[in-house]
Amino acid sequence: MNYRIGKIEGIRTLTKSIKEYEIVLDEPINPEPGQFAMLWIPGVGEIPLSFADAETKRIKFIVARVGKVTGHMHDKLRAGDKVFIRGPLGRGFTRIRGGRALLVAGGYGLAPLYFLSRKLRSMECGVKALLGFKSDDEIFYVKEFEELVETEISVEHGSSGHRGTVLDLFKDVIRVERFNMVYACGREELNLALIRKCLRMGVPVEASFERIMRCGAGICGSCSIEPLGIRVCRDGPVIDGSMIAPMLEAP
Amino acid sequence: MSPDLEVELAGLRLRNPTILASGILGSFYGLMKRVEDAGAGAITTKTVTREPREGYPNPVFVDLGFGYLNAMGLPNPGIREFSVELRRAAREIRIPLIASIGGRNEEEFMDVAGRALDAGCSGIELNLSCPHVSGYGLEIGSDLQLACSIIKAVKSISSKPVFTKISIHQARPDIVSRYLGSGADGVTAINTIRAAAICVESMTPILSNIIGGLSGPCIRPIAVAAIYEIRRELPGVPIIGVGGVDGWRAALELILAGANAVGVGSAIARKDLQIFGEIIEGLRRFLAERGFKSIKELVGYAHRS
Ligand SMILES: Cc1cc2nc3c(=O)[nH]c(=O)nc-3n(C[C@H](O)[C@H](O)[C@H](O)COP(=O)(O)OP(=O)(O)OC[C@H]3O[C@@H](n4cnc5c(N)ncnc54)[C@H](O)[C@@H]3O)c2cc1C
Ligand SMILES: Cc1cc2nc3c(=O)[nH]c(=O)nc-3n(C[C@H](O)[C@H](O)[C@H](O)COP(=O)(O)O)c2cc1C
Ligand code: FES
């Protein structure tokens, strides 16, 4: 069996629809930021989740309530419960050495970028993070980011940070600052808009994508970004912006 | 001169004997294109049915270490929507495209096959062997009369070759010759084998469907026996050998047993698409080293001893 056994060590409520799970595994794993795991809860289901942090046997997931499995996690999981993990799977972010990196996250997309900023910081990169939220009561993890890197937030409907979308904030920031690399994780529209903008400016960009996953092993075809034939579970989830370029014809 | 890997399969010309097995990446145009670019000789599509099918919930796939277990539940968008992918693939992909067809009765098989042929596929594979979907696959295939009437019906509307994909249970020369008697142009052997896995830690089955199909290296000896026996009794039948092909040696083993071409399936989980190039290069090297001019000389070679 290819599952590792995980024990829920702690659960933290971050917003009304997002929780953080700290899990201790039976054996250490060594994921790269951007890689993901398939988390199986027997009798409930199995879903892909990005590593929000990992340190030998200790891993973290940040989980938004969506449907069956995430709903079960929010409502039923307690400290001490067991879950099963296969991974790390897929391809993570390529880390720059030195230079300045810009991280752009929408909602729970900040999960893999938090893990990334921890690793980038230890590589002496200058890092700035832009975190986008829909409303004041959906803001989370800002303190955690601020402890690591320079952080700005945008809120679409609210009074904190910059008013507007994280894409608006991104456009303002890159008007005045230069970066060697942009890392993105958010809804597909956000990822595509960021990639389009970065490619135009000649800034390297990587973004983490989502598709419905089944095998997680690169063989069933369910997670393909068409018509490019890019498998999110194997070729991604982190994909170089230039690979996505053919999808960006429309403005 | 470099040895010749081209094979002929019931009228289809393949640049080399590797074929993407059904259910592996053959669900979208973009993926099929990548498989062509990786070097495959032909492509089999995911099994498509008349109506869309969601498939089973996760978990649907288990890596057992010595093989793989899957119970996808034949997820597919239905032939109407899939025709769009198939049409584009037929237009832009040059290697033969074999459409895998599933159904619950003769009428469904006819309908799906008709639309796949309209979309431009180069051949048809009838899935009479998927072991874990109620009302489909093996449940249809184990009724010999029904299977024969489906083959006859599809053959009556197809000018393209029709292959019957079989399980170990149908891998008997007497059954295969009934299929051929009904008009089948060849057989694909074998599909996955009914199997299950239980997690001892949670003490529950792993697959949501409980029962799945076993594939990978552990089923190769079973595929080899099936292919060998069919080849021995039916020397002329075109055979696509499938089961545990994870490199050029495994591909060669199936060819020596009697396969004209070999399907590559779950090994892609470990080796990814480079496996096609690896098999092609390995076969070419082997032929050159042993002084053979063409891979065709090795089809069923093990029967000589
Ligand atoms: C590589 C990857 C990393 C991910 N990382 C995280 C993470 O760190 N944190 C997190 O909260 N979520 C993450 N997700 C998303 C998460 O996997 C889904 O929210 C989860 O699978 C939903 O399962 P469910 O059983 O709760 O919902 P379901 O009951 O399965 O679904 C409810 C509804 O949501 C739709 N849906 C489910 N999954 C997706 C999807 N991936 N894309 C589009 N629609 C979908 C379904 O079609 C359905 O309509 C990630 C997804 C991928 C592919
Ligand atoms: C994930 C997966 C999905 C499959 N789906 C189909 C399918 O839709 N139709 C079919 O005829 N065979 C299907 N198969 C069976 C394969 O085509 C093949 O016969 C079997 O896996 C044995 O080959 P392998 O050992 O190379 O994987 C599937 C196999 C796997 C692993
Ligand atoms: S989930 Fe099966 S190929 Fe990606």
Side-chain angles (χ1 to χ4, degrees), chain B residues 260-284:
Chain B
N260 301 84
V262 295
V264 178
S266 34
I268 290 173
R270 199 137 301 157
K271 295 206 173 159
D272 212 352
L273 297 176
Q274 292 89 284
I275 191 173
F276 289 102
E278 183 190 323
I279 294 173
I280 294 160
E281 276 324 300
L283 290 178
R284 194 167 274 143

Side-chain angles (χ1 to χ4, degrees), chain A residues 44 69 72 93 99-100 123 150 187 197 199 210 244 246:
Chain A
V44 183
V69 179
H72 175 94
F93 294 102
R100 294 196 74 214
M123 290 168 86
E150 190 189 341
R187 280 176 300 111
K197 193 92 184 128
L199 290 180
E210 283 192 11
I244 294 294

Side-chain angles (χ1 to χ4, degrees), chain A residues 1-3 5 38 40 42 45-46 82 84 213-215 217-221 224 226-229 231 234-235, chain B residues 23-25 28-31 34 54 56 58-61 63 72 88 199 201-202 204-206 268-270 272:
Chain A
M1 193 181 79
N2 58 336
Y3 288 101
I5 304 161
M38 293 297 281
W40 173 45
E46 187 193 47
K82 271 184 194 158
F84 296 83
M213 291 211 175
R214 292 180 186 274
C215 73
I219 65 170
C220 76
S224 185
E226 286 295 310
L228 304 174
R231 293 160 301 174
R234 182 88 178 220
D235 308 307
Chain B
I24 317 295
L25 303 181
F28 292 106
Y29 158 76
L31 289 169
R34 282 188 67 191
E54 267 284 313
Y56 303 135
N58 288 353
V60 289
F61 180 79
D63 184 343
M72 307 297 303
R88 175 152 188 207
C199 168
E201 203 58 45
S202 65
T204 58
I206 301 177
I268 290 173
R270 199 137 301 157
D272 212 352

Side-chain angles (χ1 to χ4, degrees), chain A residues 78-210:
Chain A
R78 299 284 175 264
D81 286 350
K82 271 184 194 158
V83 293
F84 296 83
I85 304 278
R86 58 185 170 110
L89 301 171
R91 180 184 163 277
F93 294 102
T94 19
R95 300 207 290 269
I96 53 167
R97 283 158 202 287
R100 294 196 74 214
L102 181 63
L103 276 44
V104 188
Y108 70 76
L110 62 74
L113 296 179
Y114 175 76
F115 187 18
L116 177 66
S117 53
R118 277 212 327 123
K119 296 272 179 166
L120 283 176
R121 229 181 62 123
S122 64
M123 290 168 86
E124 294 178 0
C125 298
V127 182
K128 181 167 197 156
L130 310 180
L131 311 178
F133 303 97
K134 283 238 145 52
S135 59
D136 285 336
D137 59 0
E138 288 179 45
I139 297 171
F140 69 101
Y141 245 62
V142 177
K143 256 226 318 283
E144 284 81 348
F145 269 89
E146 281 172 346
E147 280 168 13
L148 290 176
V149 298
E150 190 189 341
T151 305
E152 290 188 42
I153 71 168
S154 69
V155 179
E156 283 174 50
H157 316 283
S159 52
S160 332
H162 300 261
R163 175 72 64 90
T165 67
V166 74
L167 185 62
D168 301 330
L169 175 57
F170 168 78
K171 286 176 180 163
D172 291 343
V173 169
I174 51 162
R175 242 190 300 272
V176 289
E177 292 181 61
R178 291 278 160 268
F179 296 92
N180 303 85
M181 183 84 181
V182 172
Y183 300 102
C185 185
R187 280 176 300 111
E188 188 132 329
E189 306 82 82
L190 174 64
N191 284 350
L192 294 179
L194 288 167
I195 290 172
R196 188 178 292 123
K197 193 92 184 128
C198 288
L199 290 180
R200 271 195 206 135
M201 296 185 310
V203 181
V205 55
E206 288 182 338
S208 181
F209 283 78
E210 283 192 11

